[in-house]
Amino acid sequence: MSFEKQFGVIFTNPKLPVLDYRTLDENIEIGSLVEVPLGSKVVIGIVWSAGDTKFDHTRLKQIIGTVNNIKLRSEFISFLKRAHAYTLSPIQSFLKMAVQSLQFHKDQKMPIAYKLNHYDYFQITPRQKELVKYIKEQPAETAQYSKIKKDLGVSLSVVKSLEKKGVLSQIVENKSKQEKMSHEPITLSLEQSRAASQIREKYVENEFQSWLLYGVTGSGKTEVYLNLASERIGKGEQVLILLPEISLTVDFKQRIMKRYGAIAGEWHSQLSLNERRSVFKNVANGCLKLLVGARSALFLPFKNLNLIIVDEEHDSSYKQEEAPIYNARDLAVLRASILKSQVILSSATPSIETWHNCKLGKYHKVNLLKRFGEVYEPRVTLIDMNVEETSKNSWISVPIIDQIRLSLEKKEQILIFLNRRGYAPIAFCTTCRISLECKNCSTKLVYHKTKKCYMCHICGYRVSETTECVKCKSSDNFIPIGPGVERIRDEVSKLFPDATSMIFSSDNLLKGEKNLEEMDKIKSGEINIIIGTQLVSKGYNFPHLKLVAVIDADMGLNAGDHRVIEKSYQVIKQVVGRAGRYASDGRALIQTWMPRHPVLQALLKDHGEKFLNAELEQRIEANVPPHGKFISLIISGKKERQLIDFGIKLKNQFYSLNLHDFEIFGPAVAPISRIKNKTRVRLLIKSNKMKKISQSEVRDWLRNISVPNNIYFSIDIDPYNFY
Ligand SMILES: [Zn+2]
Ligand SMILES: [Zn+2]
């Protein structure tokens, strides 16, 4: 006879408390994913604690059953708990990423595929013939029905009729069976194998280690960490590689498959539900050894994860700005510390936080300073815009035009970098002297010529390009002010009508296979001139690229926060580093109005470590992170007065805590005062030193703040943005 047990079950909705349920199922224990009744619904829950014996257990509802026998490991639960404790975001929102929904786990239909059996068939319609020919050309003469439908547009009845004739047979594709890593030796350069063995030799089973793999763009950091990854996989362990940009994963996966014979899984928001289900299952059961993913991949329930790699660790896209607010780079380090495994942070331009941790001896550092195959850094030239002239409505200076012309003659590829999407950042009515603004946010609408609209880059609101001025009701008086990538492309087309050009920005990015086709055009050199936003700085490979032109190096330097210099340096350095990765004659031209600025001087002289040390020293001097800590409090709602009052109340509460190592600033209306029709007010807490005890006092206070119903309150620990 089995005993009835009682458990506390937690849900993925932050508003719900832990509720007690009973069960006779002996397999259910803490960490089990379960299906439970909740009100009139059935939902997914996680067995969280032993039940509260005060309850009369006969009145408790019963757990319906486990969800596919999935159980979260205790190590994983402590990771989620500590992620919650650090970020102060509700644990339920992390759990939601970790367990998905009940629907996600139900009705798991494996993708149906059809395989060609034989070619000798009689009485076949032209449509059927077309289908047979198509499948014959597919790998292993097999194709998924969804793909057949997409490519040929044939209905299921055509497929079924061939199945009846025995020409095709249906198979259930189980991708996980193909996962294996080839054990072919990978040839590393001397420098690369030195770096790899440094990390390998320090490896101790069940010991947490955080590594910075520091190497210039093109030094082959990827080869180094893939080499280490393949060793872990060879031992049957799982490896997670985080990438800063979703669109990179397809390209990256192909590279791995080509060179290492491994089939990697991918995890990001662009996957179909079935793909997500398959990856989730194989991550949880340990079949999938290598996962490449966006930041949310960190919250999957791996079976035996033993190495995490964060590629381009400095990249700001690891920071999730909406709830739950967290930094995946920092949480990757946390997860590795709980797993007692290695984490490798890879970058050519490491973040100051990581650099600081290396200096403190918390992180190990391994340098990979030579470019692969003895290639030198691109030659950088600053173009002083105080001296150079450009004609009206033109943004490319004469020296750059001359260099582009020379490069085109030599059949070299050129990248023009401007970190601004669309055609022009502002549209202005010449009669009324007012600009177009978002109706939901306190922002200017950006003109997108290709999309024929004006768009808000914060909330996505858009109006047609034929919109009227609110004052004079005319749509003919708008003029675009300033350049975006589309406008630069127009200028390029006028200057070099015979050159092929392409815009490389998130607006123009295509999904999956289509994206690969576009990338191939760049890789093959078919495209002469690429005009790109920050997206180009995210680890793409441009083998033919020789010349990089930066249109406006000063753009990021006007923001007022402590990371301005670091961010500007990272972006431009990464973009410049794309030039001449595979040859010695890479060149970069940088347009600036501030050629004496430390960022531009550092880029010119290629200081690398010297820059990082100087910047860290400046931060310590100024007493800002990573020396000390920032916590942002963001209050939003309808009425500004009420928000300010609530802010003042918080400030007074904070003062009454009597903490000497902390300061509080605000409340003040945020630089972007309105987003999605909500007014925003900010406070900033600053700690002078990293005092752990008082820090937890701050956290205890923050955790217990009661927020009025009509106010939204969010806490951003280690904020990246201050708008
Ligand atoms: Zn907006
Ligand atoms: Zn007007």
Side-chain angles (χ1 to χ4, degrees), residues 55-105:
F55 291 128
D56 171 7
H57 84 278
T58 55
R59 297 182 60 183
L60 294 176
K61 285 185 180 166
Q62 198 153 354
I63 292 174
I64 297 169
T66 70
V67 177
N68 299 340
N69 282 319
I70 299 170
K71 188 181 160 253
L72 305 185
R73 302 162 62 83
S74 62
E75 139 278 298
F76 184 52
I77 291 177
S78 29
F79 163 64
L80 297 174
K81 282 182 175 168
R82 283 182 55 189
H84 152 67
Y86 185 77
T87 62
L88 295 172
S89 293
I91 190 148
Q92 289 91 341
S93 42
F94 291 115
L95 281 165
K96 192 168 170 49
M97 290 193 275
V99 307
Q100 310 288 316
S101 65
L102 194 56
Q103 201 51 40
F104 180 89
H105 297 280

Side-chain angles (χ1 to χ4, degrees), residues 429-434 469-474 477-478:
C429 174
T430 44
T431 318
C432 317
R433 312 210 143 260
I434 51 173
C469 169
V470 281
K471 212 168 163 194
C472 68
K473 305 288 171 205
S474 163
N477 299 337
F478 287 117

Side-chain angles (χ1 to χ4, degrees), residues 447-592:
Y447 180 39
H448 283 252
K449 198 174 177 182
T450 336
K451 292 180 179 168
K452 295 185 173 26
C453 71
Y454 298 97
M455 199 198 295
C456 171
H457 283 181
I458 299 277
C459 75
Y461 170 76
R462 51 167 91 186
V463 291
S464 148
E465 63 179 352
T466 56
T467 192
E468 294 170 352
C469 169
V470 281
K471 212 168 163 194
C472 68
K473 305 288 171 205
S474 163
S475 60
D476 304 327
N477 299 337
F478 287 117
I479 53 158
I481 309 279
V485 277
E486 292 181 355
R487 201 168 197 179
I488 297 295
R489 192 190 186 187
D490 279 5
E491 190 177 346
V492 164
S493 306
K494 268 181 216 139
L495 288 166
F496 309 104
D498 298 330
T500 51
S501 64
M502 182 195 275
I503 292 178
F504 200 81
S505 89
S506 55
D507 296 296
N508 305 66
L509 211 60
L510 300 161
K511 284 182 188 172
E513 297 285 319
K514 281 264 162 33
N515 180 38
L516 285 182
E517 282 168 30
E518 296 286 291
M519 289 302 299
D520 280 345
K521 283 189 197 159
I522 293 178
K523 280 185 184 163
S524 65
E526 192 185 322
I527 300 293
N528 304 129
I529 305 175
I530 308 157
I531 300 128
T533 61
Q534 195 169 342
L535 193 63
V536 296
S537 70
K538 303 211 175 201
Y540 287 95
N541 249 329
F542 305 120
H544 291 278
L545 187 64
K546 287 289 174 62
L547 177 68
V548 169
V550 177
I551 295 297
D552 186 357
D554 313 334
M555 224 167 86
L557 293 173
N558 295 321
D561 67 81
H562 66 289
R563 296 183 66 252
V564 160
I565 289 187
E566 178 189 359
K567 279 189 280 189
S568 291
Y569 176 81
Q570 284 164 351
V571 170
I572 301 173
K573 181 82 184 162
Q574 289 284 346
V575 172
V576 164
R578 312 280 131 199
R581 275 175 85 155
Y582 299 95
S584 59
D585 51 352
R587 297 165 322 277
L589 300 166
I590 303 176
Q591 293 187 170
T592 175

Side-chain angles (χ1 to χ4, degrees), residues 3-15:
F3 292 100
E4 193 165 66
K5 288 188 283 186
Q6 189 181 333
F7 287 115
V9 172
I10 196 169
F11 305 96
T12 56
N13 179 350
K15 290 193 178 116

Side-chain angles (χ1 to χ4, degrees), residues 255-514:
R255 254 170 84 189
I256 296 179
M257 294 204 260
K258 224 186 250 169
R259 289 195 218 171
Y260 301 89
I263 292 181
E266 53 181 312
W267 184 263
H268 49 74
S269 57
Q270 284 179 7
L271 294 182
S272 72
L273 181 60
N274 271 335
E275 286 169 316
R276 289 167 74 88
R277 281 170 166 166
S278 161
V279 170
F280 186 97
K281 199 176 118 203
N282 292 311
V283 162
N285 66 21
C287 283
L288 188 62
K289 301 297 180 206
L290 180 59
L291 185 68
V292 180
R295 59 188 178 220
S296 59
L298 188 62
F299 299 94
L300 290 176
F302 287 84
K303 194 179 179 202
N304 61 345
L305 181 61
N306 201 21
L307 176 63
I308 306 174
I309 292 147
V310 184
D311 197 29
E312 311 286 352
E313 66 90 27
H314 62 277
D315 200 286
S316 56
S317 59
Y318 286 120
K319 176 84 194 222
Q320 170 148 310
E321 298 284 356
E322 304 115 52
I325 299 175
Y326 66 90
N327 187 324
R329 192 254 335 266
D330 297 344
L331 293 189
V333 174
L334 174 67
R335 185 152 192 194
S337 77
I338 293 169
L339 286 165
K340 299 196 177 69
S341 67
Q342 286 185 327
V343 57
I344 300 173
L345 312 178
S346 167
S347 179
T349 53
S351 63
I352 299 294
E353 295 97 318
T354 296
W355 194 250
H356 187 49
N357 281 323
C358 289
K359 292 269 153 180
L360 293 175
K362 286 185 183 171
Y363 293 3
H364 302 277
K365 177 164 76 79
V366 57
N367 286 5
L368 192 61
L369 291 176
K370 272 187 212 150
R371 281 196 166 198
F372 187 64
E374 305 295 321
V375 174
Y376 299 98
E377 287 277 288
R379 201 179 64 240
V380 175
T381 311
L382 298 182
I383 295 174
D384 185 351
M385 296 305 281
N386 300 292
V387 182
E388 292 300 329
E389 273 176 51
T390 53
S391 42
K392 195 169 178 273
N393 282 339
S394 158
W395 285 271
I396 309 175
S397 63
V398 175
I400 289 184
I401 295 173
D402 290 346
Q403 283 296 321
I404 292 177
R405 187 168 292 121
L406 280 173
S407 279
L408 285 173
E409 279 166 16
K410 286 194 267 178
K411 305 247 179 303
E412 294 173 343
Q413 198 170 46
I414 298 131
L415 167 68
I416 302 180
F417 172 70
L418 176 67
N419 197 17
R420 225 182 235 148
R421 294 161 49 202
Y423 186 84
I426 300 171
F428 190 74
C429 174
T430 44
T431 318
C432 317
R433 312 210 143 260
I434 51 173
S435 53
L436 278 171
E437 291 190 4
C438 177
K439 80 172 169 70
N440 308 319
C441 315
S442 59
T443 51
K444 310 263 184 240
L445 293 182
V446 175
Y447 180 39
H448 283 252
K449 198 174 177 182
T450 336
K451 292 180 179 168
K452 295 185 173 26
C453 71
Y454 298 97
M455 199 198 295
C456 171
H457 283 181
I458 299 277
C459 75
Y461 170 76
R462 51 167 91 186
V463 291
S464 148
E465 63 179 352
T466 56
T467 192
E468 294 170 352
C469 169
V470 281
K471 212 168 163 194
C472 68
K473 305 288 171 205
S474 163
S475 60
D476 304 327
N477 299 337
F478 287 117
I479 53 158
I481 309 279
V485 277
E486 292 181 355
R487 201 168 197 179
I488 297 295
R489 192 190 186 187
D490 279 5
E491 190 177 346
V492 164
S493 306
K494 268 181 216 139
L495 288 166
F496 309 104
D498 298 330
T500 51
S501 64
M502 182 195 275
I503 292 178
F504 200 81
S505 89
S506 55
D507 296 296
N508 305 66
L509 211 60
L510 300 161
K511 284 182 188 172
E513 297 285 319
K514 281 264 162 33

